[in-house]
Amino acid sequence: MATTVRRTVLTLPAAATGPENPLPALRPLDEMHVVDDRDRAGLPRDMARQIGHEPLATVLPVRILDGYGRERTSTDLDAIVIENDRLRATVLPGLGGRIHSLFHKPTGRDLVYTNPVLQPADFALNGAWFSGGIEWNIGATGHTTLSCAPVHAARVPAPDGGEMVRLWEWERLRDLPFQVDLWLPEDSDFLHVGVRIRNPHEHPAPVYWWSNIAVPEGERTRVLAPADEAWHFGYERTLTRVPMPETGGVDRTYPLRSDFPADYFYEVPDGARRWIASLDEHGNGLVQTSTDLLRGRKLFLWGSGPGGRRWQEWLTEPGTTGYAEIQAGLARTQLEHVPLEPGGEFSWLESYGPLTADPATVHGDDWAAARAETEQRLAAALPRADVDAAYEAWRRCADTEPGEILATGSGWGALEVRRAGYTLPGTPFAESALGEQQAPWLELLEQGSFPEPRRVAPPGPSLVSPHWRDMLETASAEPLTEYHLGVAQWHADDRAQAVRSWERGLALAPSRWPLLRCLAVAAQESGQRDRAADHYTEAFDDLCAERRDDGEAWTAATAALGREAIEALLAADRTAEARAVWTGLLPAIRPRGRFRLLEARLLLAEGDRPAARALFDEGFEVADLREGAEILDEVWAELAELTGEPLPDVYNYRMRPRG
C-alpha cells in the first residue's frame, strides 16, 4: 500500500489532566537532574560548561498541571495515523505529539511500549506527564511542559512525493519554535523523523532536546549502544563515569538487573554512528539511529527494587508489562543545554524501526561482539548513508507550507509572531489560534494597557519575556498590571522590584489574594517564615471571601492556595492557623490523596499520632507525587518512630538507597 495519513479516535481509560494551577510557578524548579558545583568541577570542560549554561530557575511562564486524579474513564482521544504496508504509527497531537504506538505489521509487534491507560503523574517540568510511546522533550532538563498539551499538526508533501505529518509548536520556556516531521516512505520498515529548532531572536538561546522511547522490559531484554563507557546519574544526584556494560559487578545493560532507577548516558565516540537498540531474548526489538548532530544516547531503567516496581504500577496498571527508556539527545547528558546562535537552527533526522540480531551474540559475554553484531544488522537494514540521504531529502521539504490542518495547538506562537513579525516558513502560527488566554496580552500589545477583568475570577497566565516585561512597565499601573509585572520581574531575578510591584498593586487591588500569595512566596524564599505565614493566612481568607462558586477555576485556586498556606503555617509552627485553613477548604478537596497526606502531617503537628496513623491504615493515593519525592517516607518515619515498622509497600516510591 502507498503511505497514507488519516485522522482517527483512540479510546483509552484515562484520568483527566484537570485544570491548570492558577498560581504562577515562582518557586525554584523541583528537578532531580542537577549536580553540585563541586562535582561539576571534575567533569570534561565542554560538559561542565553546558551543564552550567542557563539552567532554569522556574518554569515560568508555563503553568503547573496538578489537578488530575487517579480515576480513569473511557476517553476518546484525537489521533493521527501514518502507515504503509510495513509500519503503522499512531500519534496523539493533543498530548505533545506523542507517538503512542509504532506497530510493525509483518511481525505483529509493537516496537514501543504502548501504555494501555493514560495516567498523568508528576514527572514533567510542569507536573502532568504520562508514560509510553515516543515523546519529544524540548525546553530544559526534564520532561517537556508540552507532555499533556496540544500541538499543531498538518499534512505536508513528503520528499518521495507521498504525504508526511508535521507537528509544530512554540516552546515557551525558551521562546523557540520547533517542528517534528513524521515521514514513512512507501515499503519502508523505518519511520523517519525530521526535527528542526529555530532561534528567531537577536540573542543566543539555550536548547535542550531528548527523544524519549519507551520499550518493553524483560528479564532478557538488553539495551545496546556503541560505547564502552557511560555517565551514570542516580537519584543521589551524582554524575560519574563508569565502564559498560558491567558496573559494580552488575551488567547494567539489562534494565531489570539494577535495584534502583538510574540513567546511563552512553559515551559515544566521535565519528561513530549514532544508534541505540533494545533487543529481547530472541534478538528482536527496536533500533533508533540518527544523523550525527543528535549525539547523545541514554538508557533509563526503573530497576527491580520495590520503589521502581511501584512506580511502574503507578504509571499504568498492575499486571502490565514494565518498560525502560532509550533516548537520544543533543548533548551527552540531559543535564546540559546547548547554545543556539541568533537566527540559527538545529536540524537532524532520526529513524525508528525493527531490528533482529543473533541472540547468542547479543546476549553473550563479549560486549564488543554484541555491539558489532547489532551495528552490522542495522547497517544491513538501514545503511548510515541512507539516513544521511534521507536527511538531505527531508531538509529540502522542511520549509514547505502545511496543507490540510489535522490539529490545532496553542495560541502562544501566534501571539509571538503577531508581536515580532517573525517569518517562519513551514510552521505558520495562524491568528485563528489566538484564544481567551492570549486576549489580554493582545490588548496590551495593541492598546498599550492591560485590561482589567470583566468578572471576578483567578488571574490568567503571566508572560515574562523581556519584551512583555517592557510593555508592562510602560502600561498604566493598575493592580492586575502590577501583579503580572511582578511575576515578570521575579522571573528576571529582580526580586526586590517584583516585591515593590506587588505591594503597589496591593494598595488598590479589589482582589488581594493573588498579590498576597506572591508576597508570601517572596517572604518564604528570603527565609521569613512568619511573614510568609501572615501573607498566606490573609490571602486564603481573602480568596474564601471572594470565591464565587465551587466550579473548576475556584476549586483549583482554593486547592492550590490552601495547600501552600497549610504547608507554610506548619513550617512556622502555627498549627492552629493551619487547621483553620484546612477547615476552609471545599469539601471536594479534602478527600484527595495529597490533602489526606497533608491532614496526616497536620494531625502529627497537633500531637494526634493515632489519628494520623489511621489515615495511612485506611489508605490514600497522592496522585501528584513528584518524581524522587520522599515525603511519604518522612511522614511514615515520624509515625513509626516508636515501633520501627517499615514503610508499607503501597507507599514505597523510593528511587535511591537509604542513608
Side-chain angles (χ1 to χ4, degrees):
M1 63 181 288
T3 300
T4 61
V5 172
R6 59 184 170 87
R7 281 186 282 195
T8 189
V9 173
L10 180 66
T11 303
L12 288 177
T17 304
E20 293 180 331
N21 184 325
L23 308 183
L26 302 176
R27 287 188 173 78
L29 193 63
D30 182 18
E31 168 54 38
M32 295 300 301
H33 292 82
V34 295
V35 294
D36 189 273
D37 286 344
R38 291 171 296 180
D39 294 333
R40 202 168 73 200
L43 300 175
R45 293 178 65 182
D46 63 330
M47 183 187 290
R49 183 167 56 250
Q50 291 186 163
I51 289 175
H53 182 58
E54 297 193 38
L56 285 184
T58 74
V59 296
L60 289 169
V62 179
R63 286 180 149 187
I64 302 297
L65 288 173
D66 58 3
Y68 50 87
R70 297 282 299 170
E71 294 183 6
R72 298 192 284 262
T73 59
S74 182
T75 304
D76 290 340
L77 304 171
D78 290 334
I80 300 169
V81 173
I82 177 170
E83 68 177 316
N84 62 12
D85 60 352
R86 311 288 295 175
L87 278 179
R88 181 171 64 246
T90 303
V91 184
L92 301 177
L95 294 163
R98 179 84 59 100
I99 294 180
H100 178 257
S101 168
L102 186 62
F103 185 76
H104 187 234
K105 296 179 181 181
T107 59
R109 290 189 294 114
D110 209 319
L111 302 179
V112 299
Y113 168 77
T114 302
N115 199 332
V117 305
L118 199 163
Q119 176 58 60
D122 193 3
F123 277 68
L125 288 165
N126 64 327
W129 169 87
F130 63 102
S131 65
I134 305 171
E135 62 176 311
W136 319 111
N137 287 312
I138 182 174
T141 299
H143 291 283
T144 177
T145 60
L146 295 167
S147 292
C148 292
V151 297
H152 302 279
R155 296 177 193 265
V156 181
D160 59 357
E163 289 185 318
M164 64 183 178
V165 174
R166 174 162 299 159
L167 310 170
W168 74 99
E169 196 35 282
W170 192 277
E171 200 288 308
R172 301 179 64 210
L173 295 180
R174 305 301 195 180
D175 264 338
L176 299 176
F178 72 99
Q179 72 189 74
V180 177
D181 288 355
L182 307 176
W183 169 30
L184 182 55
E186 188 174 347
D187 299 325
S188 175
D189 274 319
F190 283 84
L191 175 70
H192 295 318
V193 180
V195 182
R196 177 167 63 167
I197 303 170
R198 288 185 275 195
N199 178 10
H201 307 296
E202 296 179 353
H203 56 80
V207 173
Y208 173 92
W209 182 279
W210 282 80
S211 301
N212 184 358
I213 311 119
V215 290
E217 67 178 6
E219 292 291 342
R220 293 280 292 166
T221 296
R222 192 176 206 186
V223 173
L224 302 102
D228 289 316
E229 293 181 305
W231 293 91
H232 167 260
F233 183 87
Y235 285 78
E236 303 89 342
R237 301 193 180 191
T238 57
L239 186 65
T240 55
R241 196 167 187 157
V242 298
M244 292 299 281
E246 189 171 304
T247 301
V250 176
D251 188 331
R252 306 294 176 175
T253 62
Y254 290 91
L256 285 173
R257 295 186 184 178
S258 293
D259 292 328
F260 288 94
D263 298 326
Y264 290 92
F265 300 100
Y266 292 96
E267 184 68 44
V268 180
D270 291 341
R273 184 175 185 180
R274 270 57 170 151
W275 61 269
I276 189 167
S278 175
L279 303 179
D280 65 16
E281 67 271 23
H282 305 296
N284 299 322
L286 171 95
V287 65
Q288 186 272 2
T289 187
S290 71
T291 49
D292 288 353
L293 183 69
L294 202 67
R295 66 172 297 184
R297 293 297 184 275
K298 169 194 164 182
L299 161 65
F300 168 77
L301 52 85
W302 286 105
S304 58
R309 303 332 293 170
R310 183 71 180 109
W311 272 119
Q312 291 263 30
E313 292 179 356
W314 184 253
L315 295 170
T316 177
E317 57 186 2
T320 306
T321 302
Y323 74 97
E325 293 172 358
I326 59 175
Q327 303 190 23
L330 277 175
R332 277 186 287 187
T333 74
Q334 287 177 325
L335 288 72
E336 302 169 66
H337 299 91
V338 183
L340 177 58
E341 293 307 307
E345 65 178 52
F346 290 140
S347 65
W348 64 90
L349 186 119
E350 307 177 43
S351 299
Y352 296 81
L355 193 72
T356 296
D358 174 48
T361 307
V362 165
H363 296 288
D365 294 333
D366 189 334
W367 172 242
R371 285 175 15 224
E373 162 67 9
T374 307
E375 187 156 356
Q376 288 165 12
R377 296 299 183 108
L378 171 60
L382 184 65
R384 187 177 188 178
D386 287 5
V387 175
D388 292 336
Y391 169 72
E392 295 299 332
W394 165 75
R395 197 65 188 80
R396 292 190 291 271
C397 299
D399 285 347
T400 302
E401 290 303 312
E404 179 193 358
I405 299 299
L406 300 173
T408 301
S410 78
W412 296 113
L415 182 66
E416 292 301 325
V417 169
R418 179 78 166 266
R419 179 193 63 79
Y422 297 125
T423 300
L424 300 166
T427 55
F429 291 94
E431 291 197 1
S432 59
L434 292 167
E436 182 180 353
Q437 289 192 333
Q438 292 81 41
W441 297 96
L442 189 60
E443 185 168 332
L444 174 64
L445 178 64
E446 296 182 340
Q447 307 295 329
S449 61
F450 198 90
E452 288 298 302
R454 295 183 178 87
R455 59 186 175 85
V456 177
S462 298
L463 292 181
V464 298
S465 299
H467 37 265
W468 293 109
R469 187 174 73 244
D470 290 345
M471 280 186 265
L472 289 166
E473 287 175 345
T474 57
S476 299
E478 301 297 331
L480 189 56
T481 304
E482 296 287 3
Y483 163 81
H484 288 299
L485 175 58
V487 174
Q489 291 164 332
W490 183 270
H491 175 263
D493 205 28
D494 190 352
R495 297 192 168 188
Q497 191 59 57
V499 168
R500 284 192 285 271
S501 295
W502 291 327
E503 289 175 342
R504 280 197 307 270
L506 192 62
L508 298 174
S511 180
R512 293 169 54 84
W513 66 266
L515 292 150
L516 286 164
R517 182 267 175 177
C518 290
L519 291 169
V521 174
Q524 271 187 324
E525 292 299 304
S526 61
Q528 302 176 71
R529 287 187 175 185
D530 281 312
R531 185 175 180 82
D534 290 341
H535 284 320
Y536 268 123
T537 300
E538 188 178 353
F540 190 76
D541 289 345
D542 187 69
L543 182 149
C544 291
E546 183 179 286
R547 188 171 62 205
R548 292 296 187 264
D549 52 45
D550 58 355
E552 184 177 84
W554 285 110
T555 298
T558 305
L561 185 58
R563 172 184 168 181
E564 288 188 10
I566 292 170
E567 289 176 340
L569 288 161
L570 289 176
D573 296 322
R574 291 162 61 166
T575 308
E577 291 165 271
R579 175 58 71 181
V581 172
W582 173 266
T583 303
L585 293 172
L586 292 167
I589 294 173
R590 293 184 206 135
R592 297 180 185 177
R594 169 62 63 180
F595 288 87
R596 297 272 282 175
L597 174 61
L598 199 53
E599 184 182 13
R601 294 172 60 191
L602 180 56
L603 288 165
L604 279 169
E606 292 170 334
D608 194 345
R609 189 186 300 261
R613 172 60 187 264
L615 289 176
F616 272 77
D617 291 342
E618 290 167 14
F620 57 85
E621 294 181 319
V622 182
D624 60 333
L625 188 68
R626 183 66 175 166
E627 173 189 13
E630 296 178 356
I631 184 64
L632 287 167
D633 302 64
E634 294 163 5
V635 175
W636 179 262
E638 191 171 350
L639 278 173
E641 183 179 3
L642 301 179
T643 63
E645 296 171 80
L647 180 70
D649 288 344
V650 70
Y651 299 117
N652 186 356
Y653 298 88
R654 194 167 187 85
M655 302 181 79
R656 61 174 181 164
R658 299 184 185 278

